[in-house]
Amino acid sequence: MSFTLAKTERLAAILSRSPVLPVLTFSTPKAAVETAKALRDGGLMVLEITMRTPQALDALRAVVEEVEGVTVGAGTLLEPEQVQAAIAAGADFLVSPGTSSRVLAAGSEAPIPYLPGVSTPSEAMQLAERGATFAKFFPAGPAGGPAFLKALIAPLPDLHFVPTGGVDASNAQSYLSLSNVACVGGSWVAPQDAIEAGDWGRIGSLAKEAAALKAR
């Protein structure tokens, strides 16, 4: 159970495409397609579709098939079976909120890149021992925010994070200014009320603002 150099390099390339990784939840494939188009046109080319609804896999599959130019990840993976289902649906990468042994094994052995979640130094060290160089930091706000991640730069210089949870337009740049942050994840760029209302213009405007943020 380890993270190969080839998949790590692929994940690095994916995470470097946009400063913000939209974290999205959909109830219909149509909403997923239109949201993905709005985000792409606003400059956000990498998306995470959470596996939190019965329609999530259909939504992911629809975006993969119908929206050109975007890289689509499957998030909130809690079971190994979800890992396989996401791969079958066409996911480009995998994301989990934590690092349970079963999901960690399935994700690290998958043929596509995997971004596991951590919230403590011990979890981060365990990933580093397996060769991981990227981790989702979740829930970023409650777990310590930018100050926590800054404190990890010296002891874990080779590990980079994607803080998610409590990240929004008001604090995203404070994370992105850190040398160990690859990008940030958040749902503020595609609010649920905007998705439900079909307000693609609002989502596109929020995406454009987010795409203008700069990672260090």
Side-chain angles (χ1 to χ4, degrees), residues 100-138:
S100 73
S101 59
R102 294 169 67 238
V103 175
L104 181 58
S108 61
E109 293 167 5
I112 60 176
Y114 167 50
L115 181 69
V118 301
S119 61
T120 68
S122 295
E123 292 171 346
M125 287 176 62
Q126 290 169 7
L127 288 182
E129 286 179 354
R130 292 180 169 88
T133 55
F134 293 95
K136 176 174 180 171
F137 176 47
F138 177 83

Side-chain angles (χ1 to χ4, degrees), residues 75-87:
T76 319
L77 298 173
L78 305 177
E79 300 290 341
E81 295 77 13
Q82 290 178 304
V83 170
Q84 299 306 317
I87 294 170

Side-chain angles (χ1 to χ4, degrees), residues 14-153:
I14 289 170
L15 298 177
S16 68
R17 292 190 71 192
S18 300
V20 177
L21 173 63
V23 179
L24 310 165
T25 302
F26 297 114
S27 57
T28 69
K30 183 179 186 301
V33 168
E34 296 302 326
T35 300
K37 288 179 179 177
L39 291 168
R40 176 201 62 190
D41 294 347
L44 298 181
M45 307 298 186
V46 183
L47 320 174
E48 176 189 333
I49 297 178
T50 67
M51 299 294 104
R52 298 177 186 171
T53 67
Q55 298 80 17
L57 285 172
D58 290 336
L60 189 153
R61 189 178 295 109
V63 173
V64 169
E65 294 176 352
E66 300 180 36
V67 185
E68 294 184 3
V70 299
T71 301
V72 188
T76 319
L77 298 173
L78 305 177
E79 300 290 341
E81 295 77 13
Q82 290 178 304
V83 170
Q84 299 306 317
I87 294 170
D92 295 300
F93 65 101
L94 309 166
V95 187
S96 64
T99 51
S100 73
S101 59
R102 294 169 67 238
V103 175
L104 181 58
S108 61
E109 293 167 5
I112 60 176
Y114 167 50
L115 181 69
V118 301
S119 61
T120 68
S122 295
E123 292 171 346
M125 287 176 62
Q126 290 169 7
L127 288 182
E129 286 179 354
R130 292 180 169 88
T133 55
F134 293 95
K136 176 174 180 171
F137 176 47
F138 177 83
F148 179 94
L149 290 181
K150 184 177 182 180
L152 294 185
I153 294 174

